[in-house]
């Protein structure tokens, strides 16, 4: 029996409880709340052969951008690589992308996540990692266009759609598509008030347009959410 996540993506060497725990940790990562690293570490302490769990933990550590974290990233990645024979194609592509990142090839990692998204456009982790990497690398066009390329596979019936809109809102704002950016950002927040990235995107729109009073009121009105 194939186990799938809430977006119907196959997850190797797992059961429904492990998938639910992974999705809970990812929700924390998406909302910048709680302790996603602690959550997934606790899961892996009990189930170290959970492939996607090791991938997710390594993925989280790529975003730390601190040299003191690097050994932990490498060790987690090695654990994922050791499980690669049990992994499905999507998971192996994640492992390859994280390996490129760990080796310092940030552009190569993004290219690998992008290729993964062509085949698996509902892989929200790959999209999030590629988008955050685009921000890090200053790839303004792809902060918008990478999200736009997978929108065809998403709608309100797919869990996590609001987060996709939040990522898109930020990319639109960075490309000065302010009206659409604000619309997408507000829609994302309406779908999930805890989407701090979308809140941040709308705030950016107002800052960029010189709407200081509106921006202050917006951030104050969402203060309990971020």
């Amino acid at each position: 029996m194939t186990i799938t996540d809430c977006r119907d993506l196959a997850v190797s060497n797992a059961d429904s409880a492990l998938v639910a725990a992974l999705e809970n940790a990812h929700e924390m990562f998406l909302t910048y709340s709680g302790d996603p690293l602690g959550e997934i570490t606790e899961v892996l302490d009990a189930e170290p052969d959970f492939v996607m769990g090791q991938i997710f933990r390594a993925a989280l550590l790529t975003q730390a951008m601190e040299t003191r974290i690097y050994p932990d990233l490498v060790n987690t990645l090695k654990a994922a690589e050791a499980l690669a024979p049990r992994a499905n194609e999507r998971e192996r592509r994640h492992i390859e992308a994280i390996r490129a990142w760990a080796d310092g090839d940030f552009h190569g990692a993004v290219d690998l996540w992008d290729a993964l998204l062509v085949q698996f456009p509902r892989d929200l982790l790959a999209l999030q990692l590629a988008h955050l990497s685009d921000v890090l690398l200053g790839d303004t066009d792809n902060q918008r266009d990478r999200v736009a390329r997978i929108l065809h596979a998403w709608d309100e019936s797919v869990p996590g759609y609001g987060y996709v809109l939040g990522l898109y809102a930020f990319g639109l704002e960075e490309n000065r598509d302010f009206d659409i950016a604000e619309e997408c950002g507000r829609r994302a927040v309406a779908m999930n008030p805890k989407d701090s990235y979308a809140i941040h995107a709308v705030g950016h729109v107002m800052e960029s347009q010189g709407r200081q009073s509106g921006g202050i009121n917006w951030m104050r009105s969402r203060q309990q959410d971020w």
Side-chain angles (χ1 to χ4, degrees), residues 71-161:
D72 197 8
L73 164 59
V74 171
N75 289 335
T76 306
L77 174 57
K78 286 180 178 178
E81 289 173 331
L83 294 171
R86 308 185 195 182
N88 60 40
E89 179 182 359
R90 179 178 69 91
E91 293 162 340
R92 287 193 296 272
R93 290 188 179 192
H94 267 294
I95 293 169
E96 291 169 3
I98 297 168
R99 169 50 67 188
W101 182 281
D103 289 346
D105 185 4
F106 299 154
H107 290 281
V110 173
D111 288 344
L112 288 164
W113 279 314
D114 195 60
L116 187 161
L117 286 165
V118 171
Q119 188 169 352
F120 304 99
R122 290 185 178 178
D123 190 319
L124 185 51
L125 179 62
L127 180 65
Q128 183 183 16
L129 294 167
H131 175 83
L132 293 174
S133 301
D134 288 332
V135 174
L136 172 70
L137 297 170
D139 189 345
T140 306
D141 287 347
N142 269 316
Q143 288 171 38
R144 174 194 60 199
D145 296 345
R146 199 179 309 283
V147 185
R149 288 195 291 271
I150 56 83
L151 284 175
H152 66 91
W154 292 80
D155 58 37
E156 291 187 7
S157 70
V158 183
Y161 178 53

Side-chain angles (χ1 to χ4, degrees), residues 49-61:
D49 291 343
F50 180 26
V51 181
M52 199 63 210
Q54 296 287 2
I55 290 168
F56 179 76
R57 190 176 192 280
L60 273 177
L61 292 170

